[in-house]
Amino acid sequence: MTSDHAIDPRVPPSGAGCAECDAAGGWWFPLRRCAQCGHVDCCDSSPGQHATAHFRASGHPVVRSYEPGEAWFWNYATAEIYESGPDLAPPVSHPADQPSPGPAERVPEDWAERLRR
């Protein structure tokens, strides 16, 4: 899929939601997990676009979906998607009872209009 240094299957995820959105009191739509350091961020559809920002700041190119039932990887450096990849340390997604968008108490009523497309 990519060079060995871009994925560390031993590193657990940083949490159940986007670290930056949580710190700022924001909300997210699909979550992504850095395959190298485990940092969990929101995708480019989210207002914060923190997963892309993490790639730019850290140089860590590969993320895995952090949504229940999804196991695909994305490589920012090559703009390639992979249907599967190595097993990563658990958990492999945010909690199934956590809604998307989330977290529920911070999602605005007009969330669909606020998504980046």
Side-chain angles (χ1 to χ4, degrees), residues 16-78:
C18 176
E20 286 76 16
C21 288
D22 276 341
W27 61 278
W28 56 78
F29 198 51
L31 294 170
R32 307 294 178 242
R33 171 186 177 176
C34 178
Q36 188 168 346
C37 73
H39 195 76
V40 175
D41 284 309
C42 57
C43 78
D44 284 351
S45 295
S46 300
Q49 300 180 330
H50 292 119
T52 297
H54 177 74
F55 160 64
R56 289 182 181 140
S58 68
H60 300 167
V62 180
V63 294
R64 184 185 185 276
S65 175
Y66 200 55
E67 294 297 314
E70 296 182 1
W72 54 265
F73 289 76
W74 172 258
N75 186 325
Y76 284 103
T78 63

Side-chain angles (χ1 to χ4, degrees), residues 94-99:
H94 65 75
D97 63 351
Q98 176 180 298

